[in-house]
Amino acid sequence: MMDKLQQLSAPIGRLLLSMIFIFSGFNKMTGYAATQGYMESMGVPGMLLPLVIALELFGGIAILLGFRARLIAALFVGFNIVSAFIFHQFWLDASQINPFMNNIAIAGGFLMIFAHGPGAYSIDNSHTRKSSV
């Protein structure tokens, strides 16, 4: 029973971590000009927005599927930490402490994927299931 719960926790965890980025990437595409303006107001070049959208959408889908999960997770660790410090400057605005800590916590989740891999039911580990069947 516990083994099955542990196997299911990996894909569910990947789903929960990836959802925020898949939705956010899609929202950035549909509100491109507003997002670009916000980035520029925070000192981030708007020309980086296509890279952000690509990471959020395709990286989120890759994490969901467990494809190249360690590499993508490492990118998301950096992305979340950098985003926290750029966009959630709680030392200037106390209301930003929760969004800042959310980004840091999400980075921690991705650090776990980087350290331990994507777990069960992932493309990265599909060869393991095939060879054990």
Side-chain angles (χ1 to χ4, degrees):
M1 175 73 168
M2 184 57 100
D3 187 46
K4 193 62 169 175
L5 288 174
Q6 287 176 324
Q7 281 185 337
L8 289 175
S9 68
I12 292 169
R14 291 194 319 268
L15 170 68
L16 296 174
L17 274 171
S18 67
M19 283 175 43
I20 191 170
F21 295 98
I22 295 168
F23 287 115
S24 181
F26 180 75
N27 286 336
K28 284 177 176 65
M29 280 191 331
T30 60
Y32 194 93
T35 303
Q36 186 177 33
Y38 177 66
M39 287 174 62
E40 290 171 351
S41 77
M42 298 301 287
V44 178
M47 67 182 192
L48 294 177
L49 184 53
L51 295 174
V52 171
I53 292 170
L55 176 62
E56 289 186 342
L57 272 178
F58 299 118
I61 292 167
I63 290 294
L64 175 63
L65 300 175
F67 176 72
R68 310 246 341 165
R70 288 180 185 218
L71 170 66
I72 303 299
L75 293 173
F76 272 125
V77 169
F79 177 78
N80 277 279
I81 291 172
V82 169
S83 294
F85 280 99
I86 292 174
F87 296 104
H88 305 297
Q89 300 172 4
F90 69 89
W91 54 93
L92 300 176
D93 178 0
S95 71
Q96 290 297 310
I97 189 69
N98 283 339
F100 179 89
M101 294 308 296
N102 284 341
N103 276 50
I104 298 303
I106 291 167
F110 282 117
L111 195 56
M112 295 294 290
I113 291 175
F114 176 75
H116 300 285
Y121 306 106
S122 65
I123 292 173
D124 289 350
N125 288 334
S126 63
H127 67 283
T128 306
R129 283 195 315 275
K130 288 177 185 170
S131 64
S132 65
V133 174

